[in-house]
Structures are given as C-alpha cells and as structure tokens.
Amino acid sequence: MTTGHAENRIYAKGFVRQTRNDAIRVATLTQEMRGAAPDALDWTSKGATTPVKDQGQCGSCWAFSATQGVESGVFMTTGQLPDLSTQQIISCDDKEVDGGGCDGGDLPGAFAYVQSAGGMDSAADYPDTSHSSGSTGSCKWSGKTVAQVSDWKYAVTPCAQSEQADGGDCASQDEDGLKAALNEFGPLSVCINANSWDYYSGGVLTGQCSGAWSSLDHCVQLVGYDTTASTPYWKVKNSWGSHWGENGYIRLPMGENACGIADEAAYVVATLVGPTPSPSPVPSPSPVPAPMPSPSPVPTPPAPGPTPPSPTPGPVPHDCEDETIEDEATCKSYLDLSSGKSCSWCYLSGLGFGYCVEPDDTQGCNGMRGAVTV
C-alpha cells in the first residue's frame, strides 16, 4: 500500500448493520454466466458510474453506496446514467433504527426506503448538504422522482453471522461468482472493512485487511477487476473525494476476500421515471366545403354523316402513243394532248397484241378488236 500522498485525516464511514428478519434473496449465477466473465472489466470506462463524490464527515457511506447502486441499475436497464440525490436517503429514511442519516445505516434499509418512497429525486433538485455540514438535516424532499427501484438482490451469498459465531472469518466467499455477477448485473454496492484505508494513496492494497463479518464498517461500489495484472485486483469506487487514493478509487487483491469484498455485495434493478405525457389534443374536424354547382351540360355534337364516296378520277391528258401503256384500261384513261379526246386501243387479233393510239387513228389496225372512240 502506498501512503505518500494520502491526507493525514480520519475519514467518515457509516456502515451500521440493521437487525432484519427478511428472507435473504441471492442472484442465480449459472455456469454460462461464470464462463462469460472476461479476464478484465471496468464499468467506469463504459459510462455506468457517476463521478466520485465526497461524503465529508457525515457517516453516510451506506446512502452513497445505495445511491450509486440505483444510478448504475438505471444505466444497466436504460443505457442512461442519472445523478441521484444522496441527501434524500440521508435525511428522509427514518427506518434505520440503529443510526440513520449521518449516524449510519445499511444497504437493505436504503433500498427498502427507496422502494417504499416510490423512487429517488435527482441530485440537482435535492443536492447533498450533509457532506459539508456533517449533520443529517431534516427531510426537504419535494416528492419528485426521476428513478425507481423494482428489485435488488445479493450478488453472491452473504457471509452469515453464524460463520463468525463459529469462529470463521468469511474466507470462503464466492469471488468467482462475484466476478460473474459484476459482469452480468453491472456495478455492485458492497460493504467492506475500510479500517486500514485512511492513508491509502495508490497501488494494490497490501497488508492484512480482515473480511470478517464483524469487521465491516464502510459501504462503497465495486466497479471492476483485472485478473491479468501482476497482482490481480478488484477496483472499488469510494466516497471520500477524488483527492483520496487513486482519484477516489482503491484496488484490493483478488482471491482472499480482502476487506470482505464478497461479504455483502448487492445489485439493483432500476429505471427512469419520465413525466406523464399530456394527452394529444383531438384535432377539430376540417370544415366540409360547400358543394360546387354542377357544370352546365356540354351539348353533344351531332353524329357525323356518312362519308361521301370519293369522286371517280376523270381522264388525264397524256401522250396516247406512249409505248409504256400496255393495257386497254390505262389507254382509255388518257386524253389526247392535241384533241382532248380519249385515246383509242388498237388490238391485232392475229398477233394477240394491242397498243394505244390517238383518237380515231384506226388506220392499219387490221383485225382491230373494239377500237373505241369517246
């Protein structure tokens, strides 16, 4: 443990275990979950945790740890990270019989309060004042909620008081399961033994740090781990300000339940509470336009009459003796250019041959067949 830059001060803690008769509910961790846990994990790099805060000289660690659990629970459900009011739990949770507020409390009590109150307000609407005053203060919560808790459970089986009564030191806690739960459910609220943390300033914590049930005195947030480091470690977010430790964090050695890291670890299921949307106004019906007057009927044009027959073309002036004229009909359709009379057709029966001649020019048409003059 490095101590060179730690402040010479004794920090407030505040874990006071309350007497409870409720059934202990623990998450079910399957072999698949255990196998899915990566070699290293850091939720602070994934946006799942709010910045390090400072509880000051108020024994409110339990309220800070619980609030951080709700914030991260919202992130795991929605992907959004709210900054919630620690002061609401500190000043308004009056069910912590042994302590309460700056006199201490525990996680089950804080979660039970948030559920019974219907949710938590934001830090902006109800800011923390106990860190500077060192006193609990009266409840000034307006009743506004921005986040709600639907459930919470222990991540692994907590160390039982009976084990301590039998002389045990909680040395058999399920750190492998803790790793799987951290990966599956997100950052965990944990209560630990911080008796030796006051002068910590960096590195993986060394020396003895008991994880015994009776030694727990502080609540924080477990945010990551690294099994590949030269000394595998758990990464823990504290509430003693960013000037303490490694910018507000501490690393604890894995595999030995250091400081009781796996004694009392819990996760929260939470979500945001949005304002109830106003009902959408029913649109007024659009006015129905007046009917347009019917247009005057367009008169139907009369049906066209029968198409008159094309006139038969009359004779065309042409040279009657044109040798290209080869038949009688074509010959008779021409008019002689000089007289204007129809040409005549001369047929030589003996030769079976005919030709076109000028009108009345039948001279030499021996055996003429029907020379016609018009």
Side-chain angles (χ1 to χ4, degrees):
M1 175 178 66
T2 306
T3 60
H5 297 90
E7 286 192 10
N8 185 16
R9 117 184 202 192
I10 303 300
Y11 291 88
K13 300 178 183 69
F15 172 64
V16 178
R17 185 181 286 107
Q18 306 295 300
T19 301
R20 306 194 186 283
N21 297 316
D22 301 338
I24 295 176
R25 298 185 306 126
V26 183
T28 299
L29 298 175
T30 65
Q31 289 303 316
E32 289 76 15
M33 291 178 184
R34 291 174 183 267
D39 291 337
L41 176 66
D42 188 350
W43 282 110
T44 65
S45 66
K46 299 177 184 291
T49 61
T50 53
V52 172
K53 295 181 173 65
D54 190 347
Q55 68 183 81
Q57 287 303 304
C58 173
S60 54
C61 68
W62 60 285
F64 277 79
S65 177
T67 300
Q68 292 161 2
V70 178
E71 291 168 342
S72 295
V74 170
F75 177 85
M76 297 301 293
T77 302
T78 69
Q80 300 180 63
L81 183 66
D83 191 6
L84 301 177
S85 173
T86 53
Q87 193 65 47
Q88 181 186 340
I89 297 178
I90 295 168
S91 297
C92 303
D93 177 9
D94 58 1
K95 298 295 191 295
E96 306 300 304
V97 178
D98 298 324
C102 289
D103 294 325
D106 65 4
L107 297 178
F111 296 145
Y113 161 74
V114 174
Q115 287 181 300
S116 65
M120 292 186 69
D121 203 347
S122 68
D125 287 340
Y126 194 3
D128 189 282
T129 56
S130 294
H131 73 283
S132 57
S133 67
S135 61
T136 300
S138 59
C139 180
K140 298 178 181 178
W141 177 43
S142 67
K144 177 184 176 182
T145 59
V146 297
Q148 289 181 332
V149 171
S150 59
D151 197 12
W152 75 273
K153 290 181 181 178
Y154 285 106
V156 294
T157 303
C159 179
Q161 182 178 8
S162 58
E163 184 176 339
Q164 278 298 306
D166 293 339
D169 58 2
C170 301
S172 59
Q173 288 304 102
D174 186 6
E175 288 190 65
D176 183 67
L178 188 66
K179 187 172 63 172
L182 185 62
N183 179 58
E184 183 72 19
F185 306 120
L188 305 174
S189 296
V190 297
C191 294
I192 46 77
N193 168 22
N195 185 57
S196 61
W197 289 16
D198 287 315
Y199 303 107
Y200 169 84
S201 63
V204 178
L205 186 70
T206 58
Q208 293 297 315
C209 187
S210 172
W213 186 86
S214 59
S215 298
L216 307 188
D217 59 4
H218 191 44
C219 297
V220 289
Q221 187 178 35
L222 178 60
V223 298
Y225 63 83
D226 189 349
T227 63
T228 66
S230 56
T231 300
Y233 61 82
W234 296 105
K235 182 177 180 178
V236 175
K237 173 185 172 185
N238 202 356
S239 55
W240 290 348
S242 59
H243 57 276
W244 174 87
E246 295 180 328
N247 298 314
Y249 296 85
I250 184 173
R251 287 182 287 163
L252 304 178
M254 296 182 78
E256 57 189 69
N257 194 30
C259 305
I261 189 65
D263 282 0
E264 294 194 17
Y267 73 94
V268 180
V269 180
T271 190
L272 291 173
V273 179
T276 303
S278 302
S280 300
V282 178
S284 302
S286 301
V288 178
M292 297 292 291
S294 301
S296 301
V298 178
T300 304
T307 303
S310 301
T312 303
V316 179
H318 195 78
D319 181 6
C320 292
E321 295 181 345
D322 184 352
E323 294 181 356
T324 62
I325 301 173
E326 298 179 350
D327 63 87
E328 184 178 359
T330 302
C331 177
K332 292 178 179 180
S333 69
Y334 291 141
L335 299 177
D336 181 52
L337 293 176
S338 58
S339 65
K341 296 180 180 180
S342 294
C343 299
S344 297
W345 181 254
C346 179
Y347 183 73
L348 301 178
S349 59
L351 298 175
F353 174 77
Y355 57 94
C356 196
V357 297
E358 293 179 357
D360 301 326
D361 186 8
T362 59
Q363 217 44 30
C365 292
N366 185 24
M368 183 178 74
R369 184 194 71 169
V372 180
T373 302
V374 181

